[in-house]
Amino acid sequence: MFTRTLTALAVVLALCPSASTANDQADDASVPTPLEVFEQRIVPIFKSPQPASCVQCHLAAVDLKDYILPSHEQTFASLRDQGLIDLDDPAKSKILTLIQMGEQDRDGGARLIHEQTRRREYEAFSAWIKACCSDPRLRALPKRSADELARPKQPDEVIRHGRKSRVLDSFVRNVWSQRLRCFPCHTPHELDESNPQHKLAIQRHKQFLEEFGAKFGPRLDIFRETPEATLQSLIEKSRNAPPGTLPLINLQEPAKSLLVLKPTSKLPAKNEQGGFVPPSYAEPVSHMGGLKMHVDDPSYKSFIAWIQDYARVVGGEYASVEDLPADNWYPSPHVLFVQDVPQDWPTAARIQVFVHAWNDRAQSWESAPVAFTQGPVAPRRNVAGTLFLFGQAGTDHAGRRDPQQARLAPGRYLLKAYLDSKDRLADDPTLLLGEQDFRGQAEVEARWGDGFPQAERIAGHVFD
């Protein structure tokens, strides 16, 4: 009897799941499938009208939605085939690293603003990727063709060009580096009371604030303590330009940005009492500081180049690598002064001079120039301009490029002169002239001192 009872109990236990087995099944049922995670957490990101956290680091060209397809299987295979998912270690997937890049932003305000969105995206993709990588069927999905991959339309180079850090780097080289042209009125943080040479500048700045501070004081504060703060201020002021005035950065017409119109404008007209009328912030623009920059010099060229590039990035106008600007000009302290230029160079004509280095190993001149300058032929038959170097700069304490360290070593160089005979630079100030504009060349042994007092002086007849 006892034996039959044990046998019956064994049969019952065999037919009924154990407590632990039942719990395991309950646990399995509670774990959402890759499809459920996708529909619950990824699809809402795809359908959201709000921008993804990508906007924290990118001004245009990329959005997290670009990597999502309607099907969870298609999305997983697409990310996997682009190397954005790590099948062996899902937590180290590149797509997760890209989402987290905003945490490295030096702008604490931007980090805080986008923190919630960034965390929601990271947790959603992390959970979904982990679920997918645990599914052998998804891991074994056939490889997708290139045209089936979900990704931004623009190539990686265009996406990187739209990064805020790249735009800031360009701003530092092209605009921030030239801020002392606006000293002291628009650069209060550069004033040093302990420097005797700043005494007059401090007095002048104080006088400007006393005379115009009530109405125009905020407009004087253009360059802040850092390039990051300066760029942010310029963007905000441009978005909130007072009615009837031009913005500092004009996205629709870069050449009509106050950032370039002010320093290239003359003093306001005088009133009946002999004083100046208020400066104008609409066309025709006038500048209480007077003329600080000519439209023919490299600084104007660099300002316009940056504004145009920024406008095109924000407007999403770059579609291919060929559309991108060279974006590699670095101002230097060197000045080239060409005296007694050839007679066939008309007065006021724009001249560009490119500097080529000598290659000892190849015993020939480098085909690509290392620097250039630009300027008009003055009435006294000379051309002078600061050198801008191509892709050469040191780094500052934060590891960023420091344009103030860009310089050439003394030595042997070839100078090639180009004449803008068709006035093309008037329509495109960022243009670099080509072989059709070539007017002569000269070999020089240059010292490359700093500033106009130590300018490299060349006799113009060498270009004949």
Side-chain angles (χ1 to χ4, degrees), residues 214-284:
K215 188 172 183 180
F216 303 111
R219 291 182 177 273
L220 291 176
D221 193 10
I222 300 295
F223 290 96
R224 304 299 180 88
E225 289 182 300
T226 65
E228 292 90 343
T230 300
L231 179 54
Q232 185 62 36
S233 174
L234 288 172
I235 292 173
E236 292 175 357
K237 286 182 177 180
S238 299
R239 289 172 178 167
N240 301 291
T245 67
L246 292 167
L248 282 162
I249 301 173
N250 194 328
L251 298 180
Q252 283 67 46
E253 298 183 82
K256 291 187 178 181
S257 301
L258 287 181
L259 195 60
V260 290
L261 287 178
K262 279 290 182 177
T264 55
S265 297
K266 297 180 180 180
L267 289 165
K270 289 191 175 183
N271 54 32
E272 295 179 355
Q273 291 73 36
F276 291 107
V277 301
S280 171
Y281 295 88
E283 293 185 291

Side-chain angles (χ1 to χ4, degrees), residues 352 354 417-420 424 431-439:
Q352 287 182 357
F354 290 84
Y418 299 81
L419 171 66
D420 183 20
R424 290 185 294 146
L431 178 69
L432 296 178
L433 300 176
E435 289 305 315
Q436 61 179 324
D437 308 296
F438 180 72
R439 285 298 182 274

Side-chain angles (χ1 to χ4, degrees), residues 124-141:
F125 270 84
S126 180
W128 175 68
I129 290 172
K130 182 178 179 181
C132 290
C133 290
S134 300
D135 187 332
R137 186 183 65 84
L138 290 178
R139 293 172 63 103
L141 285 172

Side-chain angles (χ1 to χ4, degrees), residues 103-120:
E103 296 180 1
Q104 304 171 17
D105 196 337
R106 292 195 296 266
D107 187 340
R111 287 200 310 272
L112 184 62
I113 291 172
H114 297 281
E115 180 180 3
Q116 186 175 358
T117 301
R118 190 171 59 250
R119 186 189 310 116
R120 176 171 58 87

Side-chain angles (χ1 to χ4, degrees), residues 148-356:
E148 293 178 313
L149 300 177
R151 52 159 293 123
K153 295 179 180 179
Q154 292 84 353
D156 291 342
E157 292 85 350
V158 173
I159 293 174
R160 286 193 290 268
H161 193 81
R163 283 188 59 85
K164 290 182 179 179
S165 58
R166 202 287 314 170
V167 173
L168 175 63
D169 174 73
S170 179
F171 175 77
V172 171
R173 291 185 282 106
N174 289 295
V175 180
W176 172 262
S177 64
Q178 307 296 297
R179 66 192 182 280
L180 292 184
R181 280 179 172 267
C182 306
F183 181 86
C185 304
H186 299 296
T187 58
H189 300 293
E190 301 290 341
L191 294 169
D192 182 2
E193 294 186 357
S194 65
N195 187 342
Q197 296 181 348
H198 285 197
K199 183 177 180 180
L200 183 60
I202 292 172
Q203 292 177 349
R204 184 183 179 191
H205 185 260
K206 182 179 179 181
Q207 178 185 349
F208 262 70
L209 288 179
E210 292 175 349
E211 189 171 353
F212 305 105
K215 188 172 183 180
F216 303 111
R219 291 182 177 273
L220 291 176
D221 193 10
I222 300 295
F223 290 96
R224 304 299 180 88
E225 289 182 300
T226 65
E228 292 90 343
T230 300
L231 179 54
Q232 185 62 36
S233 174
L234 288 172
I235 292 173
E236 292 175 357
K237 286 182 177 180
S238 299
R239 289 172 178 167
N240 301 291
T245 67
L246 292 167
L248 282 162
I249 301 173
N250 194 328
L251 298 180
Q252 283 67 46
E253 298 183 82
K256 291 187 178 181
S257 301
L258 287 181
L259 195 60
V260 290
L261 287 178
K262 279 290 182 177
T264 55
S265 297
K266 297 180 180 180
L267 289 165
K270 289 191 175 183
N271 54 32
E272 295 179 355
Q273 291 73 36
F276 291 107
V277 301
S280 171
Y281 295 88
E283 293 185 291
V285 173
S286 58
H287 185 213
M288 191 58 72
L291 197 63
K292 296 292 184 181
M293 183 191 299
H294 292 279
V295 297
D296 294 319
D297 69 32
S299 292
Y300 177 81
K301 196 180 192 74
S302 66
F303 271 51
I304 285 290
W306 182 82
I307 297 173
Q308 285 184 351
D309 179 47
Y310 174 72
R312 289 168 183 165
V313 167
V314 173
E317 296 182 24
Y318 293 126
S320 66
V321 177
E322 290 72 26
D323 294 337
L324 298 177
D327 192 39
N328 62 345
W329 301 348
Y330 293 83
S332 80
H334 311 317
V335 175
L336 181 65
F337 193 93
V338 183
Q339 301 170 295
D340 299 322
V341 300
Q343 290 301 313
D344 62 346
W345 294 8
T347 300
R350 297 177 179 90
I351 301 295
Q352 287 182 357
V353 180
F354 290 84
V355 181
H356 295 255

